[in-house]
Every structure is written in C-alpha cells, then in structure tokens.
Amino acid sequence: MNGIFTRIGIPSTIQLLILVTSIDYVSVSTLMIFENRFYLLNSKKKWWKRIRPFWMIVNFLLAPLHQIPNILEFPDQKYARELVINNLPCVPEFLYTADLVLPSLNSPTIVINSILFVSIIFGQLAIFANIIIAQLYTNFGANTLSKTTRHLQKRLLKTLVLQTGIPVVSLVFPGIYAFFSIYTGHFDMGLNNLVATVASLHGLVSTLSIILIHQPYRDTVLFWRKNKKSESKRWSIPVGSNLTNH
C-alpha cells in the first residue's frame, strides 16, 4: 500500500530526504534539551549567552547541510536498481516492481557522514550531560541552588537520560546491523524484517517511555495516582457583614 506522500505525487527520493532530515532534527532537539538544563544552571555566564544563539543556528543548520554529500552521491535509480537486484541473493518477486530508493552505491560516504553527524551531536550532548551531573553533585561553576531545587534538577536529569536513552536503543541496534550487513555483504531477510520492525517501533517506544517516566503523564493518561502523604492546607477567608447604623 502506498503512503499519503506517494498518493499526492511526492517522489520517493524526497520522502527519504524528509525522513532522514526529521530524524536529524529529533537528534538536534534532544541536544537542545540538555543544553537548556546547562543554561539554567549557568545563566550568569555571559560568554555562553553571547555564543548561544550562534551555537543553536550552527546545530540546526547541520541537520540538513550534512546530507549534501549523500545527495551528491545519489545514483541513477534505474541503473542502481538493476545492479542491486542482480547482486542480492534470493530476491523476492515484489522487489522487482516495488518503488525502491537507493541513496548511494558508495556506502562508505553515507556511513562516514552518518557517523560524523552522530558523533558531533551526541558528543555535545554527552559533554552537557557530564557538566550538568558534575554541577548538580558538586555545585562547581553553577548558580547557587537550594536543596529542593537541586533535588528536582537531579530528578529531571535522570528522567531526561532515560527518556533519551530508551528510544535511542530502538535505532542504535538496527543501525549497527545495517552497517554490519553492508560491510560484510551478509543479507538475511528474517533479520532485515526484524530490524525494520524494531526501528519502526521507535515512535511507540518514545511515547511509552515519556508516559512511564514522567509522573504527570502517568497521572493523566494512565490514572496512576499516588496517595498524597499530606493534604494541602486551605486558607479560609472569613466573610464579614457590614452593619449599617441607623
């Protein structure tokens, strides 16, 4: 069954570009979440305030611009299709008529480009995460925090790490297998289907992780309400009556 984009006439090559760009921006957005935590802890640092807008622009531009080498490697689809189908073992019949998109015949270009992008984005994320952890546990170089604020920040950091790490696993393992399959020339239809299924569950895993990790979502969606240890006090405002002297 064709998707909506195919039905409205968007070429498969453009659809692939949109998909990859969307994933790249998800990675950049995740980086921005950790940077925001860092900024809140270091809001008094003027040097970061000055370079922060330029840093954001560079990272947001990196998402589409790093794909330029891949776009330049885009082969003639008819030739690439025939070449790949002739080289693959046990090709199912539906692949001969399926709308395939082959981004490159030079796999090292895509692999190296992807590794560089992931290293840059998640390298920065790791730096921010480590600085935040160090500042929350030692208060080194950070704004002065109260005990309650520090506890809440630690709790939020843990949820962010879990929220980021759990869905990434559903993409990391399929990606590792894809690189292994390309370099070794080993193609297993069963494993390919399994990897595609795991990767396609990324959206569901991300949603479930948010619901399970963050208590407000649990309370709202799943109605998992914990018994409150103490009830909030209500201030009663006495209502006075005005007396009219006759």
Side-chain angles (χ1 to χ4, degrees):
M1 181 182 292
N2 293 329
I4 296 177
F5 282 179
T6 302
R7 291 179 181 273
I8 63 178
I10 298 179
S12 299
T13 52
I14 303 300
Q15 295 182 40
L16 177 62
L17 184 61
I18 293 174
L19 172 63
V20 176
T21 304
S22 300
I23 296 174
D24 290 345
Y25 273 120
V26 169
S27 302
V28 174
S29 299
T30 304
L31 170 62
M32 295 299 166
I33 294 175
F34 282 84
E35 186 278 335
N36 179 259
R37 295 295 95 195
F38 169 81
Y39 178 71
L40 292 177
L41 290 175
N42 299 272
S43 58
K44 295 181 180 180
K45 288 182 169 55
K46 295 182 179 180
W47 65 270
W48 183 249
K49 283 185 177 181
R50 288 195 294 266
I51 68 173
R52 188 174 185 240
F54 302 100
W55 174 84
M56 287 183 172
I57 292 173
V58 169
N59 279 279
F60 275 111
L61 288 178
L62 183 62
L65 293 181
H66 91 95
Q67 298 176 32
I68 292 178
N70 297 341
I71 295 174
L72 295 177
E73 289 280 342
F74 224 80
D76 177 70
Q77 291 299 294
K78 184 177 180 181
Y79 168 76
R81 180 192 184 92
E82 293 178 356
L83 181 64
V84 171
I85 289 180
N86 291 333
N87 289 331
L88 287 177
C90 302
V91 179
E93 292 185 4
F94 73 88
L95 284 182
Y96 289 96
T97 57
D99 186 15
L100 299 178
V101 180
L102 303 170
S104 177
L105 295 176
N106 185 18
S107 56
T109 300
I110 294 180
V111 172
I112 294 173
N113 192 22
S114 300
I115 291 176
L116 285 176
F117 176 78
V118 171
S119 300
I120 292 173
I121 297 299
F122 285 92
Q124 294 179 85
L125 190 151
I127 292 173
F128 282 124
N130 282 284
I131 293 175
I132 293 170
I133 292 172
Q135 291 183 337
L136 287 178
Y137 284 90
T138 64
N139 204 34
F140 176 75
N143 299 337
T144 303
L145 302 176
S146 65
K147 185 176 181 180
T148 302
T149 303
R150 187 183 300 277
H151 173 73
L152 292 175
Q153 289 289 343
K154 289 179 181 179
R155 186 176 178 181
L156 177 60
L157 180 62
K158 291 178 182 178
T159 58
L160 287 177
V161 171
L162 289 174
Q163 181 182 335
T164 304
I166 293 175
V168 165
V169 172
S170 65
L171 294 178
V172 169
F173 288 111
I176 292 175
Y177 172 76
F179 291 149
F180 170 80
S181 178
I182 291 173
Y183 274 107
T184 61
H186 174 76
F187 298 98
D188 187 306
M189 187 58 67
L191 286 177
N192 288 344
N193 293 336
L194 178 61
V195 165
T197 302
V198 172
S200 65
L201 291 175
H202 174 263
L204 177 62
V205 173
S206 299
T207 303
L208 290 178
S209 65
I210 292 175
I211 294 174
L212 295 175
I213 292 172
H214 295 280
Q215 183 178 347
Y217 289 98
R218 294 201 304 268
D219 293 341
T220 303
V221 179
L222 302 178
F223 301 99
W224 290 352
R225 294 189 177 276
K226 296 182 179 179
N227 294 327
K228 296 182 179 180
K229 295 182 179 180
S230 59
E231 295 182 358
S232 59
K233 296 181 179 180
R234 296 183 179 180
W235 293 90
S236 58
I237 303 176
V239 179
S241 57
N242 295 327
L243 299 176
T244 305
N245 296 325
H246 295 282

